[in-house]
Amino acid sequence: MSQDTVVAKRYAKALFEVAFEEKKTLEVEEELKALVSALASDTDLQRFISTPKISGEDKLAVLKNTLNGKLSTLVINTLELLVERGRMSILSDLLDSYIKIEGESLGLADATVYSTYKLDEREMKAVAEEFGTLSGRTIRAANVVDKSLLGGLKVVIGDTLYDGSLAGKLERLEKSFNDKHRR
């Protein structure tokens, strides 16, 4: 594990604890996601933040001016610490760590549901409930259309793949036939 990842976990843990006390854990998560996405999509801003010749105060002033009213005090304070300590590069790792800490503490898990077509809200709710029961967590599911699937679903929760796709079933069937013939 890299030093940056360890540091990002410490910041994430501290941020989560304060957000939890203020009952703003999900709000902070959404703000962090928006911030990471905004910074990732703006190369000029990335260059500005990573330029060592620009003082931390100037960087912070620009960020605060740009983000004024769009982020909570919690996220602004965390951003301020990262800029002051020259740690803006860990923001993405901080978000990942925050989501993991939040999930463990609140019993949440994110799932990616791969299907051949876009699932409607009712179908997504059914998948989330089914896998929530299976995993013992509240599932927040996102649907990804994958035209390479022949049918069925593939669901990824953390490091676990649940393959209910037609191709996956065929592969398992072929493996069982091969195993029987080898005996």
Side-chain angles (χ1 to χ4, degrees):
M1 189 178 309
S2 77
Q3 179 66 24
D4 282 349
T5 305
V6 172
V7 172
K9 282 184 178 182
R10 282 193 216 128
Y11 279 95
K13 187 173 189 306
L15 178 58
F16 177 78
E17 287 172 359
V18 175
F20 185 78
E21 286 176 17
E22 294 187 17
K23 296 179 177 32
K24 294 183 177 183
T25 56
L26 295 175
E27 176 187 327
V28 167
E29 177 192 346
E30 291 306 313
E31 289 180 12
L32 285 174
K33 283 180 180 176
L35 179 60
V36 168
S37 176
L39 290 174
S41 66
D42 190 335
T43 54
D44 290 336
L45 190 54
Q46 287 174 22
R47 209 172 305 120
F48 174 77
I49 289 172
S50 63
T51 302
K53 291 184 179 182
I54 300 173
S55 72
E57 294 84 28
D58 290 342
K59 290 176 185 179
L60 196 55
V62 168
L63 286 170
K64 279 185 171 181
N65 187 41
T66 304
L67 302 170
N68 189 23
K70 297 176 183 158
L71 299 176
S72 65
T73 305
L74 290 174
V75 175
I76 290 288
N77 289 345
T78 302
L79 190 60
E80 192 171 328
L81 279 174
L82 294 176
V83 170
E84 286 173 0
R85 296 176 181 174
R87 297 239 183 233
M88 280 298 291
S89 62
I90 69 165
L91 188 60
S92 183
D93 287 337
L94 187 152
L95 170 61
D96 293 342
S97 294
Y98 183 90
I99 291 171
K100 285 179 186 168
I101 292 166
E102 176 186 45
E104 290 168 7
S105 296
L106 303 180
L108 300 173
D110 290 315
T112 305
V113 181
Y114 297 91
S115 60
T116 56
Y117 63 92
K118 182 165 177 36
L119 301 177
D120 65 29
E121 191 174 316
R122 182 184 53 78
E123 292 168 319
M124 287 298 291
K125 184 177 180 190
V127 169
E129 286 175 4
E130 180 72 27
F131 284 92
T133 301
L134 184 65
S135 68
R137 298 179 141 215
T138 301
I139 299 295
R140 300 183 298 182
N143 186 210
V144 174
V145 175
D146 183 351
K147 297 290 185 182
S148 71
L149 293 175
L150 300 175
L153 299 174
K154 284 198 304 191
V155 179
V156 177
I157 302 173
D159 296 335
T160 306
L161 167 66
Y162 300 92
D163 191 350
S165 68
L166 186 54
K169 289 177 184 178
L170 290 172
E171 282 177 29
R172 289 188 294 280
L173 182 61
E174 180 182 18
K175 184 180 180 329
S176 78
F177 284 143
N178 289 338
D179 288 348
K180 286 180 184 178
H181 289 358
R182 287 186 195 144
R183 291 181 198 163

